[in-house]
Amino acid sequence: MYIVQIASECAPVIKAGGLGDVVYGLSRELESRGHTVELILPKYDCMRYDHIWGLHDAYRDLYVPWYGHAVHCSVYCGWVHGRLCFFIEPHNDTGWFNRGAYYGCDDDAMRFAFFSKAALEFLLKSNKRPDILHCHDWQTGLVPVMLYEMYKYYGLESQRVMFTIHNFKHQGFAGSDILHATGLNREEYYFSYDKLQDNFNPFSLNFMKGGILYSNHVNTVSPHHAWEARYGDCSFGLGHTLSLVEDRFSGILNGIDYDVWNPEKDDYIPYPFGLSTFEDKILNKKALRDRLLLQQCDKPLIAFIGRLDDQKGMHLVHHAMYYALEQGAQFVLLGSATDRRTNDWFWHEKRFLNDNPDCHLELSFNEELAHLIYAGADMILVPSNFEPCGLTQMIGLRYGTVPIVRGVGGLVNTVFDWDYDQNRPPEERNGFVFYQTDNVALESAMNRALGFYNNALDGFKQLALQGMQYDFSWKSSADEYLKVYEYIRHK
Ligand code: ADP
């Protein structure tokens, strides 16, 4: 099959969170099974160019219709750790992808609407006719809309679209200017409840809603989150829209790339280890402490890695930090804030805890350090308010780092409580789960984990080893994606 992934991220070259990991990991797995996979991405100024091989211009003069004129673009081509990627660079005054950041600009809707249009235009003009266009998140929600309303008539008539929602919180809103810019026009047609009009704001178009309604199949990234989105309150207002497409909506659990996340051959950790050499994990703990200037001692070490965003349960992360210290544990946090208020808050905490020998806050995005933390920590905390899938608990499991998680979304599908899970025998349990969003619930799960570590270290190690044996690779997830691709391709 010939599959083109259209996305705003691809790890490690463009990564703000799990989306990047997923786009890369899934593509690699599909290719390893003999499918042809290409990726179309924006050419950001701030991406990691050191992870691209052989970057060269592949299509020099791509003219993308925009507001009745055309924007001149170049398309560059290069290999990101073996994946063939096309990077679109518009040559216009606004420098859409030259902002030093991937997201967070006032004109994000315009930037990614343009990217979506340019991706289709590139496919059309370069005579690429993939079987499947796999689009990710709101940034590419207009791809299926423009495909079925316009590009189908220009020559892309047999392409089928899979739309994957990695996060319902960000949906992409815009006014009628987007319709004029993209050439969709027809305000009265698109501003209707069964088309792109937002379900709650009649003056706004919703990109994600467009992606849902116009794609051949829609999925989110875990079965439990699919259920929560469809029947619970996790879809940020799109529940009714999902009910309209329920025969083509599903949840497919993300995988992680075990070539990137493998403690046995991870270049970023000083002491590789595996199931049979688990004792070496402690050497990484020592190295992590040295690197972060923490004291060497017998204390357990709890880590948090993730975006500092309300989604991740910031008040619980904050509480966990102080509670861990109070209970005689060490705490390491690696995260970058998505808004100013949280950024100021955690910078304040960082300064306050600066001289504490048991705590370190690293407020940046640091892929290399993340690997060392996964390898060195004893426990990883994921107290999210909602979590479509969550990768940090799966990576933690792979590195023998026991997850303490809130039972929501993909965390329900991947972490099974040591004490209470009724559906798994003890030898298949792998972590600690709590459900409520209050401090007491968190404390109770932390107490169980810390108590186990302090009073029965051998039992705790056994739990870590059980976690390491879980297979959350892309194998079974890619099977499911392929089944859907095959189905929609022949429909
Ligand atoms: P989300 O996609 O909501 O951000 P996920 O758990 O799905 O969360 O994926 C997070 C990914 O981003 C993981 O690979 C994690 O290691 C990585 N990550 C998050 N924050 C940082 C950071 N500050 N530095 C390095 N890696 C990070």
Side-chain angles (χ1 to χ4, degrees), residues 9 11 15-22 137 166-167 221 254 256 261 304-309 311-312 333-338 362-371 373-374 380 382 384 386-395 411:
E9 292 181 38
K15 172 169 167 175
L19 169 63
D21 288 314
V22 171
D137 267 351
H166 299 258
N167 197 328
V221 287
N254 280 337
I256 55 172
W261 301 108
F304 171 85
I305 299 176
R307 289 179 296 114
L308 303 181
D309 182 282
Q311 174 194 338
K312 303 288 175 187
L333 175 145
L334 170 62
S336 45
T338 46
E362 187 70 31
L363 301 180
S364 64
F365 192 93
N366 189 330
E367 182 81 19
E368 290 80 1
L369 179 59
H371 284 249
I373 296 177
Y374 286 119
I380 184 128
V382 195
S384 304
F386 70 95
E387 194 59 79
C389 177
L391 298 180
T392 59
Q393 82 283 8
M394 293 203 261
I395 303 171
L411 298 164

Side-chain angles (χ1 to χ4, degrees), residues 281-473:
K281 181 171 164 72
I282 193 143
L283 302 174
N284 293 297
K285 185 173 176 182
K286 290 200 171 95
L288 175 64
R289 283 170 166 159
D290 281 343
R291 165 128 183 217
L292 302 180
L293 303 177
L294 298 178
Q295 65 172 331
Q296 300 289 352
C297 54
D298 294 336
K299 296 179 176 182
L301 196 155
I302 306 178
F304 171 85
I305 299 176
R307 289 179 296 114
L308 303 181
D309 182 282
D310 281 344
Q311 174 194 338
K312 303 288 175 187
M314 293 326 300
H315 68 290
L316 288 179
V317 173
H318 178 261
H319 184 72
M321 206 157 67
Y322 285 98
Y323 191 71
L325 296 176
E326 211 177 288
Q327 298 303 309
Q330 294 184 313
F331 197 92
V332 167
L333 175 145
L334 170 62
S336 45
T338 46
D339 68 85
R340 200 180 173 146
R341 183 180 54 86
T342 315
N343 190 47
D344 292 350
W345 179 21
F346 276 82
W347 269 101
H348 170 79
E349 297 299 339
K350 181 179 167 68
R351 287 191 201 100
F352 183 69
L353 291 162
N354 198 30
D355 297 327
N356 193 311
D358 289 323
C359 188
H360 183 91
L361 276 64
E362 187 70 31
L363 301 180
S364 64
F365 192 93
N366 189 330
E367 182 81 19
E368 290 80 1
L369 179 59
H371 284 249
L372 182 58
I373 296 177
Y374 286 119
D378 298 300
M379 302 160 208
I380 184 128
L381 179 72
V382 195
S384 304
N385 280 324
F386 70 95
E387 194 59 79
C389 177
L391 298 180
T392 59
Q393 82 283 8
M394 293 203 261
I395 303 171
L397 285 168
R398 187 63 170 170
Y399 283 71
T401 305
V402 174
I404 304 172
V405 307
R406 184 157 172 259
V408 285
L411 298 164
V412 170
N413 298 119
T414 50
V415 181
F416 311 107
D417 191 89
W418 170 245
D419 295 302
Y420 300 123
D421 197 297
Q422 299 295 321
N423 303 319
R424 310 241 159 194
E427 61 277 13
E428 287 181 18
R429 299 176 189 169
N430 60 12
F432 296 91
V433 184
F434 63 99
Y435 292 94
Q436 309 304 328
T437 51
D438 54 297
N439 292 346
V440 179
L442 167 78
E443 285 174 13
S444 129
M446 284 177 73
N447 285 340
R448 290 192 291 124
L450 291 172
F452 199 25
Y453 183 97
N454 290 327
N455 303 322
L457 190 53
D458 284 342
F460 187 87
K461 281 185 187 160
Q462 180 54 34
L463 179 61
L465 288 170
Q466 286 176 198
M468 287 177 85
Q469 289 170 56
Y470 265 87
D471 182 359
F472 290 119
S473 67

